[in-house]
Amino acid sequence: MKADIHPDYHEITVVMTDGTKYQTRSVWGKKGDVMNLDIDPLTHPAWQGGSGKVIEKGQLSKFENRYGSFLSGSNAGGGKKAEPAKKEEKK
């Protein structure tokens, strides 16, 4: 291994948004530095199901409004209805 090309891997303290702290090793900062998180799994909607679920519901209803009649089997789109595939008989 070449000398002096690897970053310094040291212990830091991470402080979550609720104030809990834990020790980990990182190349961020210097030894003993404290990383204060603004966003973490405790507060971010992507992990908590907050506004992300609202967006998801909006996308789902938009899809259903656009393609609902096609999916329900009516021929509202004017296209030809799909027929089930026929099985081939072995001879």
Side-chain angles (χ1 to χ4, degrees), residues 37-76:
L37 299 179
D38 295 331
I39 299 173
D40 62 11
L42 300 173
T43 59
H44 196 278
W47 285 289
Q48 295 300 315
S51 63
K53 293 287 184 185
V54 173
I55 293 170
E56 183 179 301
K57 286 181 182 177
Q59 292 296 321
L60 183 59
S61 63
K62 183 178 175 182
F63 179 84
E64 287 174 344
N65 288 340
R66 179 178 258 172
Y67 300 109
S69 60
F70 175 75
L71 295 175
S72 66
S74 70
N75 201 7

mmCIF file of all heavy atoms in Angstrom, residues 37-76:
data_model
loop_
_atom_site.group_PDB
_atom_site.id
_atom_site.type_symbol
_atom_site.label_atom_id
_atom_site.label_comp_id
_atom_site.label_asym_id
_atom_site.label_seq_id
_atom_site.Cartn_x
_atom_site.Cartn_y
_atom_site.Cartn_z
ATOM 1 N N LEU A 37 -26.691 16.962 12.771
ATOM 2 C CA LEU A 37 -27.539 16.685 11.625
ATOM 3 C C LEU A 37 -28.751 17.615 11.605
ATOM 4 O O LEU A 37 -29.384 17.839 12.638
ATOM 5 C CB LEU A 37 -28.018 15.240 11.650
ATOM 6 C CG LEU A 37 -26.925 14.170 11.604
ATOM 7 C CD1 LEU A 37 -27.554 12.788 11.671
ATOM 8 C CD2 LEU A 37 -26.077 14.312 10.362
ATOM 9 N N ASP A 38 -29.071 18.174 10.442
ATOM 10 C CA ASP A 38 -30.283 18.976 10.256
ATOM 11 C C ASP A 38 -31.458 18.082 9.885
ATOM 12 O O ASP A 38 -32.596 18.350 10.219
ATOM 13 C CB ASP A 38 -30.084 20.010 9.150
ATOM 14 C CG ASP A 38 -29.027 21.041 9.508
ATOM 15 O OD1 ASP A 38 -28.858 21.317 10.713
ATOM 16 O OD2 ASP A 38 -28.377 21.559 8.585
ATOM 17 N N ILE A 39 -31.164 17.018 9.145
ATOM 18 C CA ILE A 39 -32.179 16.070 8.678
ATOM 19 C C ILE A 39 -31.650 14.676 8.960
ATOM 20 O O ILE A 39 -30.490 14.376 8.699
ATOM 21 C CB ILE A 39 -32.432 16.238 7.162
ATOM 22 C CG1 ILE A 39 -32.943 17.629 6.873
ATOM 23 C CG2 ILE A 39 -33.392 15.197 6.664
ATOM 24 C CD1 ILE A 39 -33.061 17.942 5.404
ATOM 25 N N ASP A 40 -32.514 13.830 9.499
ATOM 26 C CA ASP A 40 -32.130 12.449 9.751
ATOM 27 C C ASP A 40 -33.370 11.569 9.642
ATOM 28 O O ASP A 40 -34.468 12.074 9.403
ATOM 29 C CB ASP A 40 -31.430 12.312 11.100
ATOM 30 C CG ASP A 40 -32.308 12.693 12.274
ATOM 31 O OD1 ASP A 40 -33.521 12.877 12.096
ATOM 32 O OD2 ASP A 40 -31.786 12.815 13.386
ATOM 33 N N PRO A 41 -33.232 10.259 9.779
ATOM 34 C CA PRO A 41 -34.393 9.370 9.635
ATOM 35 C C PRO A 41 -35.520 9.649 10.627
ATOM 36 O O PRO A 41 -36.647 9.229 10.409
ATOM 37 C CB PRO A 41 -33.809 7.977 9.874
ATOM 38 C CG PRO A 41 -32.376 8.105 9.499
ATOM 39 C CD PRO A 41 -31.987 9.498 9.883
ATOM 40 N N LEU A 42 -35.234 10.357 11.717
ATOM 41 C CA LEU A 42 -36.266 10.667 12.704
ATOM 42 C C LEU A 42 -37.196 11.780 12.249
ATOM 43 O O LEU A 42 -38.317 11.881 12.714
ATOM 44 C CB LEU A 42 -35.619 11.068 14.040
ATOM 45 C CG LEU A 42 -34.728 10.010 14.675
ATOM 46 C CD1 LEU A 42 -34.013 10.593 15.886
ATOM 47 C CD2 LEU A 42 -35.527 8.788 15.051
ATOM 48 N N THR A 43 -36.731 12.642 11.335
ATOM 49 C CA THR A 43 -37.527 13.802 10.944
ATOM 50 C C THR A 43 -37.857 13.876 9.467
ATOM 51 O O THR A 43 -38.777 14.584 9.081
ATOM 52 C CB THR A 43 -36.781 15.104 11.312
ATOM 53 O OG1 THR A 43 -35.523 15.125 10.636
ATOM 54 C CG2 THR A 43 -36.564 15.207 12.793
ATOM 55 N N HIS A 44 -37.128 13.202 8.617
ATOM 56 C CA HIS A 44 -37.320 13.350 7.178
ATOM 57 C C HIS A 44 -38.572 12.611 6.710
ATOM 58 O O HIS A 44 -38.788 11.460 7.076
ATOM 59 C CB HIS A 44 -36.099 12.825 6.428
ATOM 60 C CG HIS A 44 -36.049 13.288 5.013
ATOM 61 N ND1 HIS A 44 -36.763 12.668 4.023
ATOM 62 C CD2 HIS A 44 -35.407 14.319 4.438
ATOM 63 C CE1 HIS A 44 -36.544 13.288 2.882
ATOM 64 N NE2 HIS A 44 -35.726 14.299 3.112
ATOM 65 N N PRO A 45 -39.428 13.258 5.901
ATOM 66 C CA PRO A 45 -40.674 12.634 5.445
ATOM 67 C C PRO A 45 -40.472 11.347 4.644
ATOM 68 O O PRO A 45 -41.333 10.473 4.654
ATOM 69 C CB PRO A 45 -41.337 13.684 4.567
ATOM 70 C CG PRO A 45 -40.560 14.911 4.699
ATOM 71 C CD PRO A 45 -39.295 14.613 5.421
ATOM 72 N N ALA A 46 -39.360 11.214 3.977
ATOM 73 C CA ALA A 46 -39.122 10.003 3.194
ATOM 74 C C ALA A 46 -39.056 8.772 4.098
ATOM 75 O O ALA A 46 -39.442 7.682 3.696
ATOM 76 C CB ALA A 46 -37.827 10.125 2.400
ATOM 77 N N TRP A 47 -38.571 8.937 5.323
ATOM 78 C CA TRP A 47 -38.502 7.822 6.269
ATOM 79 C C TRP A 47 -39.733 7.748 7.160
ATOM 80 O O TRP A 47 -40.032 6.714 7.718
ATOM 81 C CB TRP A 47 -37.259 7.936 7.164
ATOM 82 C CG TRP A 47 -35.998 7.573 6.470
ATOM 83 C CD1 TRP A 47 -35.601 6.329 6.085
ATOM 84 C CD2 TRP A 47 -34.956 8.460 6.078
ATOM 85 N NE1 TRP A 47 -34.372 6.389 5.477
ATOM 86 C CE2 TRP A 47 -33.952 7.692 5.461
ATOM 87 C CE3 TRP A 47 -34.763 9.824 6.178
ATOM 88 C CZ2 TRP A 47 -32.788 8.230 4.967
ATOM 89 C CZ3 TRP A 47 -33.598 10.361 5.684
ATOM 90 C CH2 TRP A 47 -32.635 9.576 5.081
ATOM 91 N N GLN A 48 -40.444 8.864 7.314
ATOM 92 C CA GLN A 48 -41.572 8.912 8.238
ATOM 93 C C GLN A 48 -42.931 8.767 7.554
ATOM 94 O O GLN A 48 -43.942 8.652 8.223
ATOM 95 C CB GLN A 48 -41.551 10.226 9.029
ATOM 96 C CG GLN A 48 -40.355 10.343 9.943
ATOM 97 C CD GLN A 48 -40.310 9.238 10.972
ATOM 98 O OE1 GLN A 48 -41.311 8.913 11.582
ATOM 99 N NE2 GLN A 48 -39.149 8.626 11.145
ATOM 100 N N GLY A 49 -42.973 8.832 6.232
ATOM 101 C CA GLY A 49 -44.236 8.690 5.515
ATOM 102 C C GLY A 49 -45.073 9.953 5.542
ATOM 103 O O GLY A 49 -46.281 9.902 5.420
ATOM 104 N N GLY A 50 -44.438 11.102 5.669
ATOM 105 C CA GLY A 50 -45.155 12.376 5.732
ATOM 106 C C GLY A 50 -45.642 12.822 4.379
ATOM 107 O O GLY A 50 -46.468 12.169 3.741
ATOM 108 N N SER A 51 -45.149 13.939 3.905
ATOM 109 C CA SER A 51 -45.624 14.502 2.649
ATOM 110 C C SER A 51 -45.306 13.601 1.463
ATOM 111 O O SER A 51 -45.931 13.708 0.419
ATOM 112 C CB SER A 51 -45.021 15.892 2.426
ATOM 113 O OG SER A 51 -43.613 15.805 2.306
ATOM 114 N N GLY A 52 -44.365 12.702 1.613
ATOM 115 C CA GLY A 52 -44.072 11.755 0.540
ATOM 116 C C GLY A 52 -45.279 10.896 0.212
ATOM 117 O O GLY A 52 -45.531 10.574 -0.934
ATOM 118 N N LYS A 53 -46.055 10.522 1.229
ATOM 119 C CA LYS A 53 -47.265 9.726 1.009
ATOM 120 C C LYS A 53 -48.324 10.552 0.277
ATOM 121 O O LYS A 53 -49.057 10.025 -0.530
ATOM 122 C CB LYS A 53 -47.832 9.226 2.339
ATOM 123 C CG LYS A 53 -46.959 8.224 3.030
ATOM 124 C CD LYS A 53 -47.008 6.899 2.312
ATOM 125 C CE LYS A 53 -46.200 5.881 3.071
ATOM 126 N NZ LYS A 53 -46.086 4.624 2.417
ATOM 127 N N VAL A 54 -48.398 11.838 0.579
ATOM 128 C CA VAL A 54 -49.364 12.708 -0.092
ATOM 129 C C VAL A 54 -49.031 12.791 -1.573
ATOM 130 O O VAL A 54 -49.912 12.676 -2.424
ATOM 131 C CB VAL A 54 -49.370 14.108 0.553
ATOM 132 C CG1 VAL A 54 -50.251 15.060 -0.235
ATOM 133 C CG2 VAL A 54 -49.813 14.028 1.992
ATOM 134 N N ILE A 55 -47.767 12.944 -1.881
ATOM 135 C CA ILE A 55 -47.343 13.006 -3.281
ATOM 136 C C ILE A 55 -47.648 11.683 -3.960
ATOM 137 O O ILE A 55 -48.154 11.635 -5.072
ATOM 138 C CB ILE A 55 -45.840 13.344 -3.379
ATOM 139 C CG1 ILE A 55 -45.602 14.763 -2.889
ATOM 140 C CG2 ILE A 55 -45.338 13.171 -4.799
ATOM 141 C CD1 ILE A 55 -44.146 15.115 -2.706
ATOM 142 N N GLU A 56 -47.371 10.585 -3.255
ATOM 143 C CA GLU A 56 -47.633 9.260 -3.817
ATOM 144 C C GLU A 56 -49.120 9.093 -4.117
ATOM 145 O O GLU A 56 -49.494 8.599 -5.168
ATOM 146 C CB GLU A 56 -47.178 8.196 -2.816
ATOM 147 C CG GLU A 56 -47.332 6.780 -3.313
ATOM 148 C CD GLU A 56 -46.845 5.793 -2.268
ATOM 149 O OE1 GLU A 56 -45.668 5.870 -1.894
ATOM 150 O OE2 GLU A 56 -47.663 4.971 -1.841
ATOM 151 N N LYS A 57 -49.984 9.518 -3.198
ATOM 152 C CA LYS A 57 -51.416 9.409 -3.424
ATOM 153 C C LYS A 57 -51.842 10.265 -4.607
ATOM 154 O O LYS A 57 -52.680 9.873 -5.393
ATOM 155 C CB LYS A 57 -52.187 9.821 -2.166
ATOM 156 C CG LYS A 57 -52.127 8.808 -1.068
ATOM 157 C CD LYS A 57 -52.931 9.258 0.120
ATOM 158 C CE LYS A 57 -52.820 8.256 1.256
ATOM 159 N NZ LYS A 57 -53.539 8.693 2.447
ATOM 160 N N GLY A 58 -51.273 11.433 -4.733
ATOM 161 C CA GLY A 58 -51.597 12.300 -5.856
ATOM 162 C C GLY A 58 -51.206 11.670 -7.181
ATOM 163 O O GLY A 58 -51.953 11.736 -8.157
ATOM 164 N N GLN A 59 -50.059 11.040 -7.219
ATOM 165 C CA GLN A 59 -49.612 10.384 -8.439
ATOM 166 C C GLN A 59 -50.497 9.194 -8.766
ATOM 167 O O GLN A 59 -50.826 8.953 -9.915
ATOM 168 C CB GLN A 59 -48.151 9.932 -8.300
ATOM 169 C CG GLN A 59 -47.164 11.061 -8.226
ATOM 170 C CD GLN A 59 -47.134 11.879 -9.505
ATOM 171 O OE1 GLN A 59 -47.228 11.344 -10.607
ATOM 172 N NE2 GLN A 59 -47.009 13.180 -9.362
ATOM 173 N N LEU A 60 -50.906 8.466 -7.735
ATOM 174 C CA LEU A 60 -51.758 7.302 -7.954
ATOM 175 C C LEU A 60 -53.125 7.717 -8.487
ATOM 176 O O LEU A 60 -53.629 7.129 -9.445
ATOM 177 C CB LEU A 60 -51.906 6.508 -6.659
ATOM 178 C CG LEU A 60 -52.720 5.224 -6.744
ATOM 179 C CD1 LEU A 60 -52.105 4.272 -7.761
ATOM 180 C CD2 LEU A 60 -52.798 4.563 -5.384
ATOM 181 N N SER A 61 -53.714 8.751 -7.911
ATOM 182 C CA SER A 61 -55.031 9.187 -8.384
ATOM 183 C C SER A 61 -54.938 9.761 -9.797
ATOM 184 O O SER A 61 -55.836 9.560 -10.608
ATOM 185 C CB SER A 61 -55.641 10.212 -7.429
ATOM 186 O OG SER A 61 -54.859 11.367 -7.382
ATOM 187 N N LYS A 62 -53.844 10.431 -10.097
ATOM 188 C CA LYS A 62 -53.643 10.954 -11.456
ATOM 189 C C LYS A 62 -53.566 9.794 -12.454
ATOM 190 O O LYS A 62 -54.187 9.840 -13.517
ATOM 191 C CB LYS A 62 -52.353 11.773 -11.494
ATOM 192 C CG LYS A 62 -52.067 12.428 -12.809
ATOM 193 C CD LYS A 62 -50.793 13.250 -12.707
ATOM 194 C CE LYS A 62 -50.394 13.828 -14.033
ATOM 195 N NZ LYS A 62 -49.147 14.579 -13.963
ATOM 196 N N PHE A 63 -52.851 8.740 -12.085
ATOM 197 C CA PHE A 63 -52.738 7.567 -12.948
ATOM 198 C C PHE A 63 -54.096 6.903 -13.123
ATOM 199 O O PHE A 63 -54.486 6.548 -14.238
ATOM 200 C CB PHE A 63 -51.728 6.583 -12.345
ATOM 201 C CG PHE A 63 -51.563 5.326 -13.149
ATOM 202 C CD1 PHE A 63 -50.702 5.285 -14.223
ATOM 203 C CD2 PHE A 63 -52.278 4.179 -12.830
ATOM 204 C CE1 PHE A 63 -50.548 4.132 -14.979
ATOM 205 C CE2 PHE A 63 -52.133 3.018 -13.565
ATOM 206 C CZ PHE A 63 -51.262 2.996 -14.640
ATOM 207 N N GLU A 64 -54.841 6.746 -12.016
ATOM 208 C CA GLU A 64 -56.149 6.101 -12.096
ATOM 209 C C GLU A 64 -57.134 6.921 -12.921
ATOM 210 O O GLU A 64 -57.932 6.370 -13.661
ATOM 211 C CB GLU A 64 -56.702 5.861 -10.689
ATOM 212 C CG GLU A 64 -55.985 4.737 -9.975
ATOM 213 C CD GLU A 64 -56.433 4.578 -8.531
ATOM 214 O OE1 GLU A 64 -57.073 5.495 -7.979
ATOM 215 O OE2 GLU A 64 -56.130 3.519 -7.968
ATOM 216 N N ASN A 65 -57.071 8.251 -12.802
ATOM 217 C CA ASN A 65 -57.959 9.103 -13.607
ATOM 218 C C ASN A 65 -57.646 8.966 -15.094
ATOM 219 O O ASN A 65 -58.536 8.971 -15.932
ATOM 220 C CB ASN A 65 -57.831 10.562 -13.185
ATOM 221 C CG ASN A 65 -58.454 10.827 -11.838
ATOM 222 O OD1 ASN A 65 -59.282 10.064 -11.373
ATOM 223 N ND2 ASN A 65 -58.032 11.905 -11.208
ATOM 224 N N ARG A 66 -56.383 8.846 -15.399
ATOM 225 C CA ARG A 66 -55.977 8.778 -16.799
ATOM 226 C C ARG A 66 -56.217 7.396 -17.405
ATOM 227 O O ARG A 66 -56.686 7.271 -18.526
ATOM 228 C CB ARG A 66 -54.505 9.153 -16.925
ATOM 229 C CG ARG A 66 -53.991 9.096 -18.349
ATOM 230 C CD ARG A 66 -52.560 9.527 -18.419
ATOM 231 N NE ARG A 66 -52.528 10.889 -18.917
ATOM 232 C CZ ARG A 66 -51.455 11.638 -18.963
ATOM 233 N NH1 ARG A 66 -50.327 11.180 -18.495
ATOM 234 N NH2 ARG A 66 -51.500 12.839 -19.460
ATOM 235 N N TYR A 67 -55.892 6.342 -16.651
ATOM 236 C CA TYR A 67 -55.927 4.993 -17.213
ATOM 237 C C TYR A 67 -56.946 4.080 -16.540
ATOM 238 O O TYR A 67 -56.998 2.897 -16.847
ATOM 239 C CB TYR A 67 -54.539 4.351 -17.104
ATOM 240 C CG TYR A 67 -53.483 5.123 -17.845
ATOM 241 C CD1 TYR A 67 -52.515 5.840 -17.155
ATOM 242 C CD2 TYR A 67 -53.460 5.153 -19.234
ATOM 243 C CE1 TYR A 67 -51.547 6.559 -17.826
ATOM 244 C CE2 TYR A 67 -52.505 5.865 -19.920
ATOM 245 C CZ TYR A 67 -51.544 6.568 -19.210
ATOM 246 O OH TYR A 67 -50.593 7.275 -19.871
ATOM 247 N N GLY A 68 -57.735 4.586 -15.620
ATOM 248 C CA GLY A 68 -58.678 3.764 -14.877
ATOM 249 C C GLY A 68 -59.661 3.026 -15.758
ATOM 250 O O GLY A 68 -59.951 1.850 -15.546
ATOM 251 N N SER A 69 -60.192 3.701 -16.781
ATOM 252 C CA SER A 69 -61.177 3.044 -17.645
ATOM 253 C C SER A 69 -60.518 1.932 -18.464
ATOM 254 O O SER A 69 -61.132 0.902 -18.725
ATOM 255 C CB SER A 69 -61.820 4.062 -18.582
ATOM 256 O OG SER A 69 -60.847 4.670 -19.404
ATOM 257 N N PHE A 70 -59.295 2.118 -18.833
ATOM 258 C CA PHE A 70 -58.575 1.083 -19.573
ATOM 259 C C PHE A 70 -58.328 -0.133 -18.684
ATOM 260 O O PHE A 70 -58.501 -1.266 -19.096
ATOM 261 C CB PHE A 70 -57.244 1.636 -20.086
ATOM 262 C CG PHE A 70 -56.391 0.604 -20.765
ATOM 263 C CD1 PHE A 70 -56.700 0.149 -22.033
ATOM 264 C CD2 PHE A 70 -55.278 0.084 -20.129
ATOM 265 C CE1 PHE A 70 -55.923 -0.807 -22.656
ATOM 266 C CE2 PHE A 70 -54.500 -0.876 -20.741
ATOM 267 C CZ PHE A 70 -54.816 -1.322 -22.007
ATOM 268 N N LEU A 71 -57.944 0.139 -17.433
ATOM 269 C CA LEU A 71 -57.631 -0.953 -16.516
ATOM 270 C C LEU A 71 -58.874 -1.714 -16.082
ATOM 271 O O LEU A 71 -58.812 -2.898 -15.798
ATOM 272 C CB LEU A 71 -56.904 -0.409 -15.284
ATOM 273 C CG LEU A 71 -55.532 0.198 -15.567
ATOM 274 C CD1 LEU A 71 -54.968 0.821 -14.305
ATOM 275 C CD2 LEU A 71 -54.578 -0.840 -16.109
ATOM 276 N N SER A 72 -60.026 -1.024 -16.025
ATOM 277 C CA SER A 72 -61.236 -1.695 -15.567
ATOM 278 C C SER A 72 -61.861 -2.554 -16.658
ATOM 279 O O SER A 72 -62.808 -3.277 -16.413
ATOM 280 C CB SER A 72 -62.250 -0.665 -15.069
ATOM 281 O OG SER A 72 -62.685 0.145 -16.147
ATOM 282 N N GLY A 73 -61.389 -2.462 -17.882
ATOM 283 C CA GLY A 73 -61.864 -3.345 -18.942
ATOM 284 C C GLY A 73 -62.815 -2.677 -19.912
ATOM 285 O O GLY A 73 -63.159 -3.249 -20.928
ATOM 286 N N SER A 74 -63.296 -1.473 -19.614
ATOM 287 C CA SER A 74 -64.186 -0.822 -20.579
ATOM 288 C C SER A 74 -63.362 -0.367 -21.772
ATOM 289 O O SER A 74 -62.159 -0.190 -21.687
ATOM 290 C CB SER A 74 -64.900 0.367 -19.931
ATOM 291 O OG SER A 74 -63.985 1.401 -19.681
ATOM 292 N N ASN A 75 -64.017 -0.154 -22.867
ATOM 293 C CA ASN A 75 -63.327 0.201 -24.094
ATOM 294 C C ASN A 75 -63.390 1.710 -24.325
ATOM 295 O O ASN A 75 -63.613 2.158 -25.433
ATOM 296 C CB ASN A 75 -63.944 -0.574 -25.273
ATOM 297 C CG ASN A 75 -63.001 -0.660 -26.436
ATOM 298 O OD1 ASN A 75 -61.852 -0.271 -26.332
ATOM 299 N ND2 ASN A 75 -63.490 -1.169 -27.547
ATOM 300 N N ALA A 76 -63.196 2.507 -23.267
ATOM 301 C CA ALA A 76 -63.302 3.955 -23.373
ATOM 302 C C ALA A 76 -62.207 4.553 -24.238
ATOM 303 O O ALA A 76 -62.380 5.608 -24.809
ATOM 304 C CB ALA A 76 -63.264 4.578 -21.974
#
